[in-house]
Amino acid sequence: MFLEALQKQNPDLIKAALSLFEQGELLPDSTVIDVDQLIENAHLLKKSANQFGIKLFAMTKQFGRNPILAKMLIEQCGFDGVVCVDFKEARIMAAHGLPIANVGHLVQPPSHMIKQLVTSIKPQVITVYSLDKVKQISDAAQQANRKQALLLKFFHSRDQLYINQESGFPIEEIEKVVTEIQAMPNVYIEGVTHFPCFLFDSETGSTLPTSNLTTLIEAKNSLQALGITCNQINAPSATCIETLPLLAEYGCTHGEPGHALTGTMPSNAAAPQAERIAMLYLSEVSHHYGKDSYCFAGGYYRRGALENGLVYQGVQYQTVSIYNDDHDSIDYHLRIAGLHPIGAPVIMAYRTQVFATRSDVALVKGVSSNNPQVIAIYDSLGNRLTSSEVFHG
């Protein structure tokens, strides 16, 4: 999906990955990140967000919940914290002393983590969509003698909710929900959120608002009619330079860029955007079977729209078709059309969610200056690997 964009926008990243592979610095099944380009994308996003009065929370799951990158986004780029889509991501980021901006959306914190979350991690907001969870948070906050801010998620029957992500308070119950929450001590309503609020439309080639955004604004208006000021109107999904003006137009206050940081928004595959590709997937031909080759996998993402790759022999390459023939099978390997030399490097670029894979994440600096250096290698969940772990298990 992004292979041509990678070749046009960041060919130096391909050169860097190949060079480091040949030197034995990188192994197959590695997501290779051009740190300098990612930070440049982040600066562009922050500059645009500032123009529209939008605050940004960093969505790190796409590149493996990486704490080094998260720290850079906050300290170097001025992001307002890290959004953690589940409690395990919050655990990783908190362990590195990083400020947690939003936790609980998409996954609620489990009961036995509420106390730790409220008393020591202390996120800016916790997204909630059940009164039982609000009660747990309220009890923990009361014991800790502090007040915890909440974001509420409401849904309408027309809304688009992804499978296994269905959640929210029914919008028609908003007054009842507010009354019950206001009766609980040590919690208060800071605002609203929903997901996905924007999606790329292949027919128009643009990223457009969804009905979920309409519900979000309806919820905000209803809360204000009940006397509640929404300081956060958080509209995640597809937050990028293209959509920041739309967030401002609809009165939203917060966005959560993830794919925009690595330039892997669908819009960037359709037409060049301000954010440039900063990530690729590196593999290696493992073996042959019949008339096909197979490369090491582990980083496949079923919604990634992977179609093609580049197989290299020296500086020459061949564009090849790459297949995962059965989404129900573990991606031990990916099939490559044709016979190619065993050990040959394979470059791919597609939309991924690294935290849902088994890939290593290699952070590389100096790509554009032709002096690439691996600064660190992590696993897909944000845990740093030592050199011996990378190469010897």
Side-chain angles (χ1 to χ4, degrees):
M1 184 176 182
F2 293 98
L3 189 60
E4 290 185 8
L6 170 67
Q7 290 176 285
K8 293 175 182 177
Q9 296 177 20
N10 200 345
D12 288 338
L13 180 55
I14 298 176
K15 294 178 186 176
L18 293 171
S19 174
L20 293 167
F21 174 82
E22 292 298 334
Q23 295 172 46
E25 295 290 321
L26 296 178
L27 290 175
D29 186 25
S30 289
T31 296
V32 185
I33 295 178
D34 180 346
V35 174
D36 300 321
Q37 184 59 59
L38 184 146
I39 296 302
E40 175 62 22
N41 290 341
H43 280 304
L44 292 172
L45 280 158
K46 190 64 171 67
K47 181 179 179 180
S48 180
N50 288 345
Q51 291 174 348
F52 292 103
I54 304 293
K55 292 188 176 182
L56 299 179
F57 296 159
M59 176 72 73
T60 68
K61 66 187 177 74
Q62 280 90 340
F63 48 82
R65 300 172 169 172
N66 192 275
I68 286 185
L69 294 179
K71 185 176 183 180
M72 289 179 177
L73 291 170
I74 294 167
E75 295 182 355
Q76 297 181 24
C77 306
F79 276 49
D80 293 284
V82 180
V83 55
C84 299
V85 298
D86 67 17
F87 57 95
K88 294 181 180 179
E89 189 169 4
R91 190 169 60 194
I92 282 285
M93 295 301 166
H96 288 270
L98 296 167
I100 310 302
N102 181 12
V103 66
H105 185 214
L106 301 164
V107 179
Q108 297 280 270
S111 301
H112 291 293
M113 192 179 175
I114 296 292
K115 182 178 179 180
Q116 177 193 8
L117 191 67
V118 171
T119 60
S120 60
I121 296 179
K122 298 179 181 178
Q124 286 185 35
V125 292
I126 301 176
T127 294
V128 293
Y129 35 79
S130 79
L131 292 171
D132 289 333
K133 193 60 62 178
V134 178
K135 177 66 164 55
Q136 292 177 349
I137 295 168
S138 174
D139 290 346
Q142 188 173 27
Q143 291 177 11
N145 194 31
R146 62 178 296 265
K147 291 185 177 294
Q148 177 61 56
L150 306 175
L151 292 187
L152 307 186
K153 178 181 179 181
F154 292 94
F155 72 92
H156 191 283
S157 58
R158 65 173 179 248
D159 289 351
Q160 177 177 343
L161 303 176
Y162 291 130
I163 300 298
N164 297 330
Q165 295 180 23
E166 299 90 345
S167 62
F169 296 108
I171 189 72
E172 57 270 18
E173 295 181 9
I174 192 166
E175 187 170 352
K176 172 180 176 293
V177 168
V178 168
T179 298
E180 295 205 32
I181 291 176
Q182 289 182 324
M184 299 182 196
N186 296 78
V187 291
Y188 63 96
I189 299 168
E190 180 72 356
V192 289
T193 190
H194 206 339
F195 178 84
C197 294
F198 297 90
L199 287 175
F200 178 71
D201 181 70
S202 58
E203 292 186 4
T204 64
S206 301
T207 305
L208 303 174
T210 67
S211 61
N212 298 12
L213 181 62
T214 303
T215 301
L216 177 72
I217 301 307
E218 180 182 341
K220 182 261 295 186
N221 291 337
S222 296
L223 287 175
Q224 289 184 333
L226 293 170
I228 297 171
T229 299
C230 289
N231 296 313
Q232 291 196 26
I233 304 146
N234 190 333
S237 81
T239 303
C240 58
I241 291 172
E242 177 192 12
T243 60
L244 285 170
L246 288 172
L247 265 72
E249 178 184 338
Y250 281 85
C252 301
T253 62
H254 290 68
E256 299 178 352
H259 284 293
L261 296 168
T262 53
T264 51
M265 318 87 70
S267 55
N268 204 15
Q273 303 294 313
E275 305 94 327
R276 300 175 64 180
I277 303 289
M279 181 170 69
L280 61 74
Y281 182 67
L282 171 68
S283 188
E284 170 188 334
V285 175
S286 165
H287 63 279
H288 301 150
Y289 183 80
K291 296 181 179 180
D292 293 320
S293 303
Y294 287 76
C295 67
F296 297 98
Y300 183 80
Y301 181 61
R302 67 184 63 188
R303 292 177 56 207
L306 172 63
E307 294 180 352
N308 300 310
L310 308 175
V311 178
Y312 277 81
Q313 297 183 54
V315 296
Q316 302 298 316
Y317 69 86
Q318 183 178 350
T319 303
V320 297
S321 297
I322 298 184
Y323 305 93
N324 183 53
D325 295 312
D326 183 359
H327 286 181
D328 292 330
S329 297
I330 298 172
D331 61 328
Y332 290 109
H333 303 94
L334 293 171
R335 180 169 65 89
I336 304 174
L339 299 177
H340 306 279
I342 290 174
V346 185
I347 299 291
M348 292 171 250
Y350 52 91
R351 183 176 175 85
T352 189
Q353 300 273 352
V354 174
F355 85 111
T357 75
R358 307 187 304 280
S359 297
D360 290 344
V361 177
L363 306 183
V364 180
K365 298 196 74 174
V367 168
S368 62
S369 62
N370 293 315
N371 183 32
Q373 296 180 344
V374 178
I375 60 173
I377 297 179
Y378 283 74
D379 67 15
S380 60
L381 298 177
N383 301 297
R384 187 161 186 163
L385 304 176
T386 64
S387 296
S388 61
E389 287 172 332
V390 173
F391 293 100
H392 303 295

